[in-house]
Amino acid sequence: TFGVESYFPFCAKNGRVDSEDRRSRHCPYLDTINRSVLDFDFEKLCSISLSHINAYACLVCGKYFQGRGLKSHAYIHSVQFSHHVFLNLHTLKFYCLPDNYEIIDSSLEDITYVLKPTFTKQQIANLDKQAKLSRAYDGTTYLPGIVGLNNIKANDYANAVLQALSNVPPLRNYFLEEDNYKNIKRPPGDIMFLLVQRFGELMRKLWNPRNFKAHVSPHEMLQAVVLCSKKTFQITKQGDGVDFMSWFLNALHSALGGTKKKKKTIVTDVFQGSMRIFTKKLPHPDLPAEEKEQLLHNDEYQETMVESTFMYLTLDLPTAPLYKDEKEQLIIPQVPLFNILAKFNGITEKEYKTYKENFLKRFQLTKLPPYLIFCIKRFTKNNFFVEKNPTIVNFPITNVDLREYLSEEVQAVHKNTTYDLIANIVHDGKPSEGSYRIHVLHHGTGKWYELQDLQVTDILPQMITLSEAYIQIWKRRDNDETNQQGA
């Protein structure tokens, strides 16, 4: 039991807290903690002053308040509502207010872990070997890594990309361990490193086996995106998944200290491949045939070749036909994946038009990355509106061999060229207002899941190929790895 003095340590002590009262002790109010209202996914701001300095969470109502001194918002809240247990969101220490002593109690460890999950090397190594369900505080079960992300207003385009990246094991493993990047030196005033920190926090929350809820809010991650992209990508306005992914991977790479040419990072180690681009300038189509013939002998019109790196490959869809069947239904065309991959076989030529000139280009792959991203070009912009091509791409889920897209000398050194699908982002609906969902493979169970914001459902592999795939991530099989997907 506590005497009157322990409740009013400021009385007759000149407003100072006695050192005795500052010491750690057990607290009689631990049973007032309400774990079901605790949510650490949002910005750590005081709900009254909106300051993030010295923020505390009230563990009784879940709100955030600043400070714990005599006139602080947390102190006033504790007296006004008789809420006594608070957690410092930065130091992870627990306090009892208004008495202002630190609480040391092992029963609070689950709360600290939800606020700041940590992973040992051993836990990370076992993530893809287990299929154990976790139980949230409200009794719902979930598979760590396969959890829904809140759609705050119109951020499903970003959610789908973040979910896809969270299921790329080497990238995920790097960000699960904060030690991998916390000592990276950044120039003063650089805000881009915030992306790295927030992405790491999001990975740890998505893979947390001891979450209170079976879903996560990407609120802090997306606020960093809005800030670092100078509002190019918003939470309140639908964005384009490919644009976001391209910007995000490049921003992560440079925030981790990577450069265009020399300095590599985990992002380039995982996704970067290379290709040769052959370019040939074409004479203007309106010129007489003889003049065209003459021009083709000039140096300017000879084919040139450059080596270039890539983070993803853009696959072009054939123009969708406009004819309808006898029932006046538009026919949705289909195309095999290998047809649109032919762009990279070193032979297929494609015409590119600029404002003044026309070029013929052909592409040949020279290095295949461990994880290969395909972006299927569904949208074309003209002067008036954006059009969407609904063509369905037929693709096998496993065993896609890309050897034929490499030059002969590269084939000799490139042992492993077979890929299996691990993530498939789908765009449904109209170009400007459609929605995104994603199919991901859970490596531990070998099962596929569909995630659309907070909804998580399992899905048969054969259903995945019927969707309007937009972004895909493929994993290279290395060292005679066998396919575990059974698809």
Side-chain angles (χ1 to χ4, degrees), residues 396-399 420-421 441 446 448 460-462 464 477 483-487:
I397 296 276
T398 59
N399 221 2
D420 299 320
L421 188 70
L441 171 71
W448 280 91
L460 292 168
Q462 51 270 37
I464 293 168
R477 281 191 211 170
N483 159 40
Q484 304 161 351
Q485 295 178 42

Side-chain angles (χ1 to χ4, degrees), residues 14 17 37 40 47 74 86 103 127 138 178 302 314 328 447:
N14 304 322
V17 182
V37 297
F40 301 124
S47 55
F86 289 79
I103 305 163
L127 276 181
D138 63 359
E178 203 175 355
Q302 301 313 302
T314 303
E328 285 297 295
K447 284 185 182 167

Side-chain angles (χ1 to χ4, degrees), residues 342-403:
K343 171 181 176 180
F344 298 100
N345 62 11
I347 304 158
T348 307
E349 292 185 313
K350 185 168 187 270
E351 195 171 334
Y352 289 83
K353 295 180 180 178
T354 64
Y355 175 60
K356 285 182 178 166
E357 299 166 319
N358 293 2
F359 295 93
L360 269 185
K361 291 191 181 208
R362 55 194 180 92
F363 308 89
Q364 186 164 42
L365 303 181
T366 53
K367 181 182 168 243
L368 292 168
Y371 288 81
L372 182 59
I373 304 176
F374 290 158
C375 295
I376 296 163
K377 195 165 188 280
R378 294 210 169 269
F379 302 105
T380 45
K381 296 182 175 78
N382 62 28
N383 294 339
F384 305 105
F385 54 88
V386 179
E387 271 183 291
K388 181 178 176 188
N389 187 329
T391 302
I392 299 289
V393 178
N394 296 322
F395 54 89
I397 296 276
T398 59
N399 221 2
V400 168
D401 192 352
L402 300 177
R403 182 163 290 276

Side-chain angles (χ1 to χ4, degrees), residues 45-297:
L45 291 179
C46 169
S47 55
I48 296 169
S49 69
L50 302 183
S51 165
H52 55 80
I53 296 163
N54 213 5
Y56 287 78
C58 169
L59 301 186
V60 183
C61 66
K63 289 183 181 161
Y64 297 167
F65 298 98
Q66 189 175 10
R68 68 170 203 278
L70 202 66
K71 289 184 178 165
S72 67
H73 296 300
Y75 180 90
I76 292 163
H77 176 77
S78 77
V79 172
Q80 208 170 0
F81 295 95
S82 292
H83 291 177
H84 297 293
V85 192
F86 289 79
L87 165 62
N88 184 309
L89 294 166
H90 182 63
T91 64
L92 311 189
K93 288 182 176 180
F94 296 87
Y95 294 91
C96 181
L97 295 182
D99 296 10
N100 205 8
Y101 59 82
E102 187 182 346
I103 305 163
I104 305 281
D105 195 300
S106 58
S107 70
L108 301 173
E109 279 169 16
D110 62 331
I111 297 175
T112 324
Y113 195 85
V114 167
L115 175 58
K116 200 172 171 50
T118 50
F119 292 80
T120 63
K121 283 185 165 47
Q122 190 57 50
Q123 285 170 321
I124 292 172
N126 291 334
L127 276 181
D128 295 328
K129 296 176 188 156
Q130 60 200 28
K132 201 174 151 216
L133 283 170
S134 290
R135 190 174 291 278
Y137 189 72
D138 63 359
T140 52
T141 54
Y142 68 94
L143 259 178
I146 308 287
V147 292
L149 280 175
N150 253 352
N151 188 351
I152 298 158
K153 188 161 182 199
N155 53 279
D156 49 320
Y157 71 98
N159 283 2
V161 170
L162 294 168
Q163 289 277 21
L165 297 177
S166 123
N167 278 278
V168 174
L171 189 74
R172 172 203 68 199
N173 296 355
Y174 177 88
F175 280 97
L176 285 178
E177 228 180 316
E178 203 175 355
D179 285 354
N180 286 332
Y181 56 83
K182 72 174 185 195
N183 296 324
I184 289 174
K185 296 278 179 282
R186 297 302 299 157
D190 174 61
I191 56 163
M192 297 306 277
F193 198 68
L194 194 60
L195 282 180
V196 174
Q197 292 167 316
R198 294 286 181 260
F199 187 60
E201 286 163 14
L202 183 66
M203 291 302 100
R204 292 190 283 279
K205 283 176 179 171
L206 285 172
W207 287 90
N208 180 0
R210 292 155 55 186
N211 248 332
F212 286 169
K213 314 185 300 293
H215 59 85
V216 169
S217 173
H219 196 268
E220 286 192 287
M221 172 79 249
L222 293 172
Q223 284 197 308
V225 165
V226 174
L227 181 71
C228 296
S229 72
K230 299 186 171 65
K231 298 189 178 171
T232 304
F233 300 102
Q234 301 269 13
I235 299 174
T236 52
K237 205 167 77 208
Q238 186 66 281
D240 179 87
V242 172
D243 290 349
F244 171 67
M245 183 193 69
S246 173
W247 171 82
F248 187 68
L249 289 178
N250 283 305
L252 270 189
H253 171 63
S254 60
L256 288 166
T259 56
K260 272 206 166 136
K261 292 267 169 74
K262 292 211 171 118
K263 203 143 181 256
K264 297 175 84 63
T265 63
I266 184 68
V267 179
T268 48
D269 289 346
V270 171
F271 295 119
Q272 194 175 74
S274 60
M275 63 165 98
R276 288 184 188 139
I277 303 171
F278 301 88
T279 308
K280 195 163 46 178
K281 188 175 169 184
L282 294 175
H284 196 282
D286 298 342
L287 290 175
E290 287 169 24
E291 208 175 319
K292 276 188 196 170
E293 191 63 41
Q294 260 183 324
L295 282 172
L296 287 173
H297 295 297

